[in-house]
Amino acid sequence: MRQRIVISGRGGQGVLTLTRVVAEAAAAAGHEVITTETHGMAQRGGTVLSTVKVGPFHGPLVGSGDAEVGLFLHADNLPVHGHYLRPNGVAVVNGSGAVGGDAVDADRLAAQVGQPKAANLALLGYAAAKGALFAGPDLFEATIRQIAPAKHLGGNLAAFRAGVEASR
Amino acid sequence: MTRQVLMGNEAIGRGIVECGCSVAASYPGTPASEILEAVVAFARETGRGMHVEWSVNEKVAYEVALAASYTGKRAAVAMKQVGLNVASDPFMRSAYLGVKGGLLLVSADDPGPHSSQTEQDSRFFAMFAKIPVLDPSSPREAKEMVALAFALSEAYEIPVMLRPTTRVCHARQAVPLLAPTGEKRTAHFEKNPKRWCATPGFVLGLHRELTVKIERLAADPRLAPVFFPGDGTRPRACIIASGVAFAHTWDVLDELGPAGAVDRFQVTAPYPLATEFIERVHAAYDRILVVEETYPVIEMQLADRRIAGRVSRFVPNEGELTPEVIRNVVGKFLGLPAAAPAAGARPAGARPTLCAGCGHRAAYYAISRTFPRGIFPGDIGCYTLGMNLGAVDTVHCMGAGISQAAGFYHAYAHDGGEVPTIVATIGDSTFFHSGIPALVNASFQKARIIVVILDNATTAMTGHQPTPQLGVTASGERGRAVSIRDLVLASGISFVREADAYDVERFAALLKEADRHCRSAEGGVAVIIASSPCVLTDSGRARASQPVRITEECTGCRECLDMFECPALVWDEDTGTVGIRQAACTQCGVCLAVCPVQAIVVESQAAE
């Protein structure tokens, strides 16, 4: 298994949490995985990027034109970070209408289940159920169960499942 | 053996605990902040009793750890690279005097830079001080190097630096966990004034000892570079790399397949560079590429004009060595056809801004509106973002805002005319870090400046580490609270007011009063402590809420967007007016005072 994933969003949208879930899931499935993420000033609402490399890689950064998958938590980030995708790469984008890529309104899905801050996991559920990622939804759901704080677990799972449902 | 997915900084923290370290000190700064937090967490989890502290600054942290090492215990100190500038005084001398218990210095570099005022290379600092430095390429390696650093430090009685970069600190990877060493050491400080007090007469001898230590280290097999042979088709060429640049070079060479099968070396200890390795490279290779971040530390020690590197400008001298950069450099070195140039310009992405409801925004709005011709030296923290609001004119280094404000005052005052109002802003953590000496100096030098201490009761930018006025330690225990107000009063400053910045009108009136004080016969420094707990913390979220909405009176003048920049206020292209993103709004109510036509109103009023 070799998969390079870029996760793009704005500070505060939960890019770090999403990165961690994807990394933990890959490790739980027995894959080598290495990631990197944005900390510091940019977390205050600026554009942030994480990368996840699943497979026998050494460095965490993804080169331009290398990523098989892009998870975009903000549609405006597609022109900013879309260049990381391979020509046949898959972009899963949080947005409605013709924003590019495979669009799903993760903000709305998360809000509908009362979890407006969990759009990140709704997007993940959608992408996993669509077969865009190295594993299906079961693995990611198990990972969320494992690492989510108890008080957020129910909400996190609800948002994730809303994304899974929306893919059907 | 259990493995756990850890961030690089967590892996380093885990390593510190596993190695039986007794005292760990740090000051938060990206990309190093999570190291100490991991030490706290893993010490608790494994039942290791340790003293762990967020010191007020890196110099203090270094000295605390250094003295702990004098007692024979292991000690660690962690900081970002510019933190080492602050700690450079004790650091430089500690190389000469040496240590007893192992002393690990983690100095985290930020090539790019992503969140720093320079992209300086701490490995140069290690070379400058004459202490060994280890350069990990991954979280896993960083943890292994913590153990090596402690062992070397004790074997040679010398501080050892671990130099991770952002892409190691903030990488995540499965890392093997070991049980902490069971060894218990008791503190025993053996007096030796010739060493621990070394006056200049003894320093020369200590310097000679240091030189010998470095020569022995350069011959220590544990510091020898790791060799990865190619397939022999390019026998006189090699690539030498270190840190995460080595990891990315490896990935790039893997992609190339047989074309990338060239001899390569990973330098794990860039200083002192192994003597035997230097000789081998000179003898065995004619074509040499050196890939390292961020300055040419390995390259300069190899001192070979044939090297393709930063000195010869073969490798860019600035910026992060991303896979794209390395791909170009390696391709050029191996004589491969150049990759197609990247497509045209890409949008820059959103710039960061203060959070919705942040008290700093209210304070900055009042400052820039009250003194349209003022000069506003700023400082380092979230509130640096006051530059978006036209209320921060300079940002230099920790604590510089107050000293620069005084410098501006003396320069203008010397001309004898009207001196502009000068307002320095500084956060609570930065005030404790290095604002105090600057304030004492400004006070006794009679600078007539306003200092606004933006007290959000935390170190917000780096992840909410506690500050001294809270009286809570890194381990979450009760310490002794230190009052900012008392420190200001003790600096000989008579004008000290505490204020709620959310009340913009009253805050603006207070700023004017402070200005009058500065300009009065007996005036000097005026200090306003603006208290507003960070909205990302529980106490900040607990503020009384004031839901607002925007009426049809909105003229679309954009004052609230351009001068106030609240992320909860959004431009509606269709109507040419402003709307509220309720999900983002914290209902702080400050925007009520911002709208020039009172189109922002309290929700209940509008409903009536």
Side-chain angles (χ1 to χ4, degrees), chain A residues 35 44 47 58-59 61 64 66, chain B residues 171 248 251 324 327 350 353 460:
Chain A
T35 74
R44 301 288 174 262
T47 295
H58 300 93
L61 285 174
S64 207
D66 283 348
Chain B
H248 288 127
D251 284 346
E324 290 87 350
R327 202 173 275 162
T353 183

Side-chain angles (χ1 to χ4, degrees), chain B residues 9 344 493 556 560 565 577 590:
Chain B
N9 283 340
I493 294 167
C560 61
E565 203 187 75
T577 58
V590 175

Side-chain angles (χ1 to χ4, degrees), chain A residues 19 21-22 45 70 100 106 111 118 122 132 143 148 164-165 167:
Chain A
T19 307
V21 171
V22 175
T143 305
V164 173
E165 285 304 315
S167 75

